[in-house]
Amino acid sequence: MHPQVRNLYKRVLIVGKDYPHEGGLEYVRDVWKKAMRKYQPPFHAKEETKSEELAQIHKSNEKDLLKAVAKGRFMVREMIGIIQLKKRRTMKQRYEATRPQLKIMEYSDI
């Protein structure tokens, strides 16, 4: 496994602990495993391929891999945004329910 892919998966697991879904971490783990297995770099080298062609294939695979990792990092940031939104909404519900309503004084009341 490529080190950047492994690092991305670790980030996903750390962020997935707080993901607001019924399955939580298990759900996030399953979805990301499916996504990672879905991506298979196209590498069909035959025995008669030359070393120059292999180098070209490796470069194109590396570019595709880096694009996929960048997309994955974006998705992690989106997950963080969803988690923060859920936490904010939860806190707002809790504290607005217990917060006493303030009476707004009008100028004529003074």
Side-chain angles (χ1 to χ4, degrees), residues 104-110:
I104 299 174
M105 294 180 60
E106 294 183 15
Y107 188 70
S108 61
D109 292 341
I110 299 179

Side-chain angles (χ1 to χ4, degrees), residues 14 22 24-25 29 31 33 55 59 63 76 86 89-90 95-96 99-100 104 108:
I14 291 169
E22 295 171 0
L25 181 60
R29 183 181 293 143
V31 169
K33 276 187 179 181
K59 286 181 184 177
K63 287 179 184 178
V76 169
K86 176 67 176 170
R89 286 180 177 170
T90 303
Y95 288 107
E96 283 191 356
R99 188 172 163 190
I104 299 174
S108 61

Side-chain angles (χ1 to χ4, degrees), residues 6-77:
R6 187 174 332 138
N7 186 14
L8 177 65
Y9 189 66
K10 286 179 183 179
R11 289 181 189 196
V12 167
L13 293 180
I14 291 169
V15 171
K17 291 177 185 176
D18 294 331
Y19 193 73
H21 188 270
E22 295 171 0
L25 181 60
E26 295 297 322
Y27 170 76
V28 171
R29 183 181 293 143
D30 291 341
V31 169
W32 277 82
K33 276 187 179 181
K34 287 177 189 175
M36 287 189 169
R37 287 185 181 139
K38 184 176 155 183
Y39 172 77
Q40 293 296 326
F43 183 74
H44 303 290
K46 299 177 183 173
E47 292 180 10
E48 58 268 357
T49 54
K50 299 177 184 176
S51 62
E52 295 171 1
E53 292 175 8
L54 284 175
Q56 186 67 25
I57 289 172
H58 180 69
K59 286 181 184 177
S60 66
N61 287 348
E62 189 72 22
K63 287 179 184 178
D64 291 341
L65 180 74
L66 292 177
K67 284 181 184 178
V69 168
K71 188 174 182 180
R73 287 182 180 168
F74 174 76
M75 294 306 297
V76 169
R77 287 193 301 268

